[in-house]
Amino acid sequence: MSSQNSPAPTSEVGGHQLLESMTDVAENSLFAMVDVAEDATWRAAAESEEGAMLLAHVGFSGPFSGAIDVLLPAALAQELGAAFLGAESPEEVSPANAADFAGEFANMTCGAWLTRTHPKDAFSLSAPQVAVSPADEPAGAGSTALFLLVNDRPVRARLSLASGQDAR
Amino acid sequence: MTPDVSAPTDPGRHLTLLIVDDSTMMRAMLKRAVLATGVPVHDVLEAADGSQGLAVLQQQQVDVLFTDVNMPVMTGIELLRAVAGNARWDRLVRVIISTDGSEARRAEATSLKVSRYVEKPFRPETMRDVLSELSSAHV
């Protein structure tokens, strides 16, 4: 049952489990490949994206609180959305539904991460918020960011814990 | 979790399903998945939050409710509490589909007579298994 004393994971543990969670979501639900990218590789991939980037944000609260956000190309959201639906081509997914899917991707990643890190505790998740964002949107101080390639396209996953909850 | 084995449907009757989720893509994916199961389905209704879902339940006969947990306006847990508090819906089969797989949430679901708890992400085949099991148990 819920314990108000459950500690937040450290950045290192939290980041590792975030990678596992996102890989689980991408591989099991979306049949996508996830690779960790070197800085330069990720930057080059981001610079080669011609379309918009989407930033999907999901906040959570419970024994500890914070947020997970996922930055990804809108075209990748469309491609993954099509895989999610079992659609024959990405064109079957409208831009609005691609944005909706980007939010659901962040939501599933956040839920998988919380279940992995704190399997006994219930958390409340906020409704996903999705906005167009520059690819070089700063990761932010105090957060843990993963730079990934999903189906060879740049994705950044970021974990931010509320102030003072990642200081152990 | 032990399924609720009360019989909500007449033999041979096709099921009416209600999917409550704030994501249009999740609702679309679930609808595709349930229609692909081969389980006889009369209609698949949709709602974007618990409040809309409750309104649908008040207006239509539904056999199986699939609901997310975290939604704006009214959460899935609040919806399930409303359902549990009204004898009219005693025979409604309740399924949670959520990213929250915690023990605390599962225990809460059990207390609200939820038959199955499906964790997101899931493969479409999972829905076939859930509906087949519910269908054979209830029809």
Side-chain angles (χ1 to χ4, degrees):
Chain A
M1 296 301 287
S2 179
S3 162
Q4 295 303 310
N5 296 319
S6 297
T10 61
S11 295
E12 185 181 353
V13 171
H16 179 68
Q17 290 172 326
L18 180 58
L19 173 61
E20 288 183 342
S21 301
M22 179 166 273
T23 302
D24 184 33
V25 171
E27 292 185 351
N28 283 333
S29 243
L30 311 173
F31 312 104
M33 293 295 298
V34 178
D35 294 300
V36 176
E38 300 285 340
D39 263 9
T41 307
W42 193 90
R43 218 172 298 120
E47 286 169 3
S48 70
E49 288 292 336
E50 294 180 355
M53 299 288 285
L54 299 176
L55 184 66
H57 174 94
V58 175
F60 59 86
S61 60
F64 61 96
S65 58
I68 282 178
D69 58 52
V70 178
L71 178 71
L72 77 171
L76 178 63
Q78 197 174 23
E79 176 186 324
L80 297 178
F84 182 70
L85 278 182
E88 290 190 359
S89 78
E91 285 69 35
E92 290 183 46
V93 178
S94 69
N97 280 343
D100 178 273
F101 177 73
E104 190 58 31
F105 185 39
N107 184 48
M108 287 192 289
T109 300
C110 184
W113 181 78
L114 288 169
T115 301
R116 195 175 291 264
T117 57
H118 283 70
K120 293 186 176 179
D121 298 315
F123 287 80
S124 292
L125 275 62
S126 66
Q129 295 178 318
V130 182
V132 173
S133 173
D136 58 357
E137 191 260 0
S143 63
T144 302
L146 301 176
F147 293 89
L148 309 168
L149 295 178
V150 176
N151 288 355
D152 297 323
R153 303 186 87 151
V155 173
R156 189 199 67 200
R158 176 176 60 189
L159 167 66
S160 308
L161 296 177
S163 180
Q165 296 193 334
D166 189 22
R168 294 172 307 116
Chain B
M1 190 171 296
T2 305
D4 172 0
V5 292
S6 60
T9 58
D10 299 329
R13 190 159 74 80
H14 289 200
L15 299 174
T16 296
L17 314 176
L18 170 60
I19 298 171
V20 186
D21 198 303
D22 55 328
S23 165
T24 54
M25 287 289 279
M26 182 56 76
R27 294 200 305 273
M29 184 273 196
L30 271 170
K31 188 172 181 177
R32 281 193 187 215
V34 298
L35 292 176
T37 60
V39 172
V41 171
H42 168 66
D43 200 2
V44 181
L45 308 170
E46 298 182 38
D49 60 54
S51 177
Q52 288 184 16
L54 192 57
V56 172
L57 288 173
Q58 286 164 341
Q59 292 163 10
Q60 305 208 40
Q61 177 70 39
V62 173
D63 299 301
V64 185
L65 165 67
F66 295 94
T67 184
D68 188 13
V69 170
N70 290 291
M71 293 180 287
V73 185
M74 178 188 264
T75 68
I77 295 297
E78 290 168 335
L79 169 62
L80 289 164
R81 283 197 191 116
V83 166
N86 191 326
R88 171 184 176 182
W89 293 307
D90 277 353
R91 292 155 69 92
L92 175 66
V93 177
R94 302 148 211 189
V95 180
I96 282 182
I97 298 179
S98 174
T99 59
D100 183 349
S102 67
E103 291 175 21
R105 194 68 80 198
R106 285 173 180 272
E108 193 171 25
T110 301
S111 72
L112 293 170
K113 299 180 182 174
V114 169
S115 298
R116 288 291 300 263
Y117 198 113
V118 178
E119 220 174 297
K120 299 177 188 175
F122 60 89
R123 291 179 181 273
E125 307 88 84
T126 303
M127 207 44 55
R128 180 192 59 210
D129 297 342
V130 168
L131 269 184
S132 297
E133 182 185 317
L134 292 175
S135 182
S136 60
H138 297 283
V139 177

